[in-house]
Amino acid sequence: MKKGLLILLMLTGSVSLFAAHIAGGELIYEHLGSSGTSDRYKITMRLFRECSSNGPRLESETVYVGAYSQSTNQLVNSLILPMIGSLQTIRLQDNIPCLVGSPDVCYQVAIYSAEIDLPKSPDGYTLAWARCCRANNLMNAPGQLGATYIAKIPGTNVLGNDKNSSPQFVVKDTALVCGGNDFVLDFGASDSDGDLLTYAFCEAYVGGSTTNQNAPPPGSLSLSPLPYGTTYTGSQPLGPTVSIDPQTGIISGIAPKTPGRYVVNVCVTEWRNGVAINQHRKDFILKVGDCDIIAAKLNPEYINCDSLTQSFHNEANSSQIRSYFWDFGVAGTDSDTANIPEPKFTYADTGTYTVTLIINRNEECSDTATAKVKIYPGFKPGFRVDGSCFQAPFNFIDTTKAAYGTVNSWRWEFGNQATNNDTSRLQHPSYTYTTSGTRNITLVVGSSKGCVATVVTPVDVLKKPLINLAFRDTLICSIDSLQLQASGRGTFSWTPNYNIIDANTATPVVYPKDSTTYYVKMTDGACSNTDSVKVNVIKLLTVQLEADTAICGGDSILLRVHSPALAYSWSPANGLSDPNIKSPKAAPLSQTQYIVTANLGKCQDKDSIIIRVSPYPIANAGRDTSLCFGEKLPLSGNVTSTSFAWSPTTAMLHPNTLNPVVAPSKSTTYILTATGRGECPKSIADSIFVKVIPPVPAFAGNDTSISLGEPLVLNATGGEKYAWSPETYLSDPNSASPTAVFGNNVDSILYSVKVTTVDGCVGHDEIRVVVFKTGPQIFIPDAFTPNRDGRNDNLYPVLVGMKKLDFFRIYNRYGQLLFNTSEINKAWDGTFGGKEQPSGTFIFMAQAVNYKGETVLRKGTVLLIR
């Protein structure tokens, strides 16, 4: 495809509800000459109309221009500009290959012009033509808005005897901007007077009336800025991704992603002899199309001064890019390629490479882009500053390091907001500030390999030079001397001249006999500062420790010293945290006498302290243990102390002895506390955890009944070992599930089972077995009384010799089923649907399977009594 294709669609001016055919225009003037006290001007308006518009033709348009005084905004003169010549049609003729979504672009252009004489004016004039109703659905200025086109003529206050004609924007052919794509629009202008032109985005104006499309100019001119929508302003009419070059007028950047019309206004400033004499405006509508171009685009150059890894991506967007091929330019290999949209590549060595991107490779709409890649990591920018106060030079020292190439460019800005001359291109410049305060120093530094970095560091510019003192208040003995220590940028002098050597240096030696304050003055050019050091003098050094004391073995104590000395030495060093500090911590293992030697220069004194050591009390509550619920346990404590105590004492016998007896109902921690007396009156505690094993859940089974000759399998649970008694009729009395078969001489029997757990805890339970001589049968009472008195409240079948209940059903006399169950021992409580049934006779049916596998069925009636 064609490289560097520029595709832009520009609609200048505004479109009204009534005259929606107007697609833009420009109001300009040309100075034709002077006659006495007047100047003659040719006023011209270029108007555009979309070819596809259904609105009026440009031949019917009335361009009614007013001339207003710039000082009063009052109307001075007006004129109608007739159309001259014929309409011109311009169309985007060329087919654009590989363009997705190309619209039809066609406009008609008409020119309106007339001449006017205006009196010479100190203030100058504003030419204005107001129209209603810009194009609807503007993306950056919603609502139905009018437009006012203006051109300014500067007066004699600005021009003197000179004359001026307005700049004229270069007329371009039709073009198209695709949403979300890069674009470049040359919006430069020419000036017949040879004035220097600069460009900027600025606010457009509203104006015009819908009631009178071609009304004469009003008597007073009022210019109101256009109300831009969210995220847009007059200075950013297309958002932050689009800018205008102030020197060339070229608009470039990434177009808004949302297609539609955008109002844009460009202000051109005319400069003559370094003075701004006028500002010319052009209001236009930029149409962003729903399209994109299949293109490959890379930055002109990639410079990586941080690492060997470089990231890449296509700078052009298109929905029709189907494949990517990257070659990262490493000679002698074919493995330096990728086929993803945004690759990263790590180069094996430094150097300059050529990266190539091919999109849609081997297809009709393919494109290729190349760029230089410079890989030179190890560029470390930096600087340091030498200086302290204003009126004295600050030296700026570049400390930048470059692993490859050389550091070869510097641009300094010294942060002086009052001037633009606070810059330098030297590597190590100097700068003198005239005021104090914090300055942000900026260094932009570069290398011969193309690396560029910016470093910004705040620097305090002081009113006085900074003096650094090693100390401000010190103490010496009267027989000693002392070296004072100051540092800073400048010269030094000390006062008073009393017992001092080298008073004009930064480090004089003093030997006062009485306490004296020495003052230092540091001078750095026109700046100076003073500070002071107080030297306190003592005649005699004394040191005093606190009284002898005692500690518990293993504890420490702070040895406090009362002395003005500056150096200390303790002996012995055993048990001391630091034998060379004023107040160390002491933790001797036995009674020790510590001696401290204190020095202040040549003065010295000593003192001592005895630290006695007493042992801590000892407490041993015994080992953790466990016991079964309900059992008792004797504890066995041991102490070395003068007193002791157990806690808690709940469920404890003899709590005031070392061997109390406990019977806790739940697991409990018992604490034995031993307390010493004398020189170690501290307490030590130990604990024993007694785990209480819960009660054994021994269960022999529910009482039951069987038929004579029917084997009964007992089933005990709750432990690991079982013992049944009596052992009569049991197959295995030490089994959890022995089998019992009874003879004719047994009517009922009560069995007891002893259950033992793995922890050795024991539990008991019983089961009563009733033996019926009738054989397997279903027994159902004749009557029951569900009055909640705890006796005969429920009705259920008693199964003898049965292993399964098929059903137990209750019917009323109307045959309605009131109760049904197949669960053994589940009973009817005399209700149905939550309501108590009345006294009377009810029918029952019960069916079960006996231990021989035979089905037994019983039917009958039962009486409910309330």
Side-chain angles (χ1 to χ4, degrees), residues 294-306:
I294 303 174
K297 181 181 178 182
L298 298 175
N299 292 333
E301 189 175 60
Y302 297 86
I303 302 176
N304 194 328
C305 300
D306 298 322

Side-chain angles (χ1 to χ4, degrees), residues 560-593:
R560 301 182 185 275
V561 179
H562 302 281
S563 174
L566 298 179
Y568 297 88
S569 176
W570 292 83
S571 64
N574 295 338
L576 294 181
S577 60
D578 187 340
N580 297 311
I581 63 174
K582 183 176 183 178
S583 297
K585 286 185 178 181
L589 300 178
S590 60
Q591 178 173 307
T592 303
Q593 181 183 31

Side-chain angles (χ1 to χ4, degrees), residues 416-423:
N416 189 346
Q417 300 298 322
T419 180
N420 292 325
N421 295 324
D422 62 332
T423 61

